Amino acid sequence: MMLKKGAPIAKFAVTLALGALGGWLMRHFDMPLAWLNGAIIATGLGALFRLPVAIPPFARAPVTAAIGAMLGTSFSPAMFEHAGSWLLSLGGLAVFIAAEGALVYIYFRRIAGFDHPTAYFSAMPGGLVGMATLGLERGGDEKMIALAQAARIILVTLALPFLIRSVTGVAPDLSGGGRFHSALKRPH
């Protein structure tokens, strides 16, 4: 009986260990957003191989707050000095998100066979935990939503630095410092 009561904590410990190992490996190989992507990839693989991975409900709010704090502290007022020049880009982004969300929703409904809430919350960009939680509240499959959102995060964060470099010639600094280096004069 004690094992059943401790099972959520044991699953959480396995999840944390897998996440830390994945983050460390990605950081070791200098990959973009190493700690985020490494943790998502490692725990996702753990789930695929049916390892006991889970985040218990008591840990969701603090983990979400910690992720929000880490992401939020990476912004500074200097980032918004040229915000006026972003209007065209932000308008294009809004159109892209609406079109992408609609197309992915249709794919998930018609080809993948997801029910409405699962397809909707899997297709819409947003926070992984938030989308999975909202989807679950509306009758969706929380695990499928989380997997679709994790796949989106991994694909974008792994591909974007290479896409930026190939299109602009500017190589994002993978150290997490938020700096950019000329692709022609990359420090070693």
Side-chain angles (χ1 to χ4, degrees), residues 58-151:
F58 72 83
R60 286 182 190 234
V63 168
T64 302
I67 291 171
M70 288 188 309
L71 294 174
T73 57
S74 68
F75 289 91
S76 71
M79 293 179 70
F80 299 99
E81 288 176 2
H82 304 287
S85 64
W86 300 348
L87 293 178
L88 183 60
S89 296
L90 290 175
L93 182 62
V95 170
F96 171 79
I97 288 172
E100 177 269 342
L103 291 173
V104 173
Y105 172 81
I106 291 167
Y107 170 82
F108 282 145
R109 284 290 283 159
R110 295 193 179 156
I111 296 170
F114 289 5
D115 58 67
H116 169 70
T118 303
Y120 180 80
F121 289 100
S122 294
M124 294 302 126
L128 187 151
V129 173
M131 290 291 114
T133 302
L134 288 170
L136 177 65
E137 289 173 0
R138 285 160 181 80
D141 183 342
E142 178 185 31
K143 289 181 182 181
M144 289 306 299
I145 295 168
L147 284 172
Q149 292 291 339

Side-chain angles (χ1 to χ4, degrees), residues 120-184:
Y120 180 80
F121 289 100
S122 294
M124 294 302 126
L128 187 151
V129 173
M131 290 291 114
T133 302
L134 288 170
L136 177 65
E137 289 173 0
R138 285 160 181 80
D141 183 342
E142 178 185 31
K143 289 181 182 181
M144 289 306 299
I145 295 168
L147 284 172
Q149 292 291 339
R152 178 193 322 277
I153 292 167
I154 292 166
L155 289 173
V156 168
T157 58
L158 288 178
L160 199 55
F162 303 107
L163 181 63
I164 289 170
R165 180 182 302 155
S166 67
V167 171
T168 67
V170 175
D173 178 14
L174 301 180
S175 71
R179 297 172 303 276
F180 290 83
H181 303 289
S182 167
L184 301 175

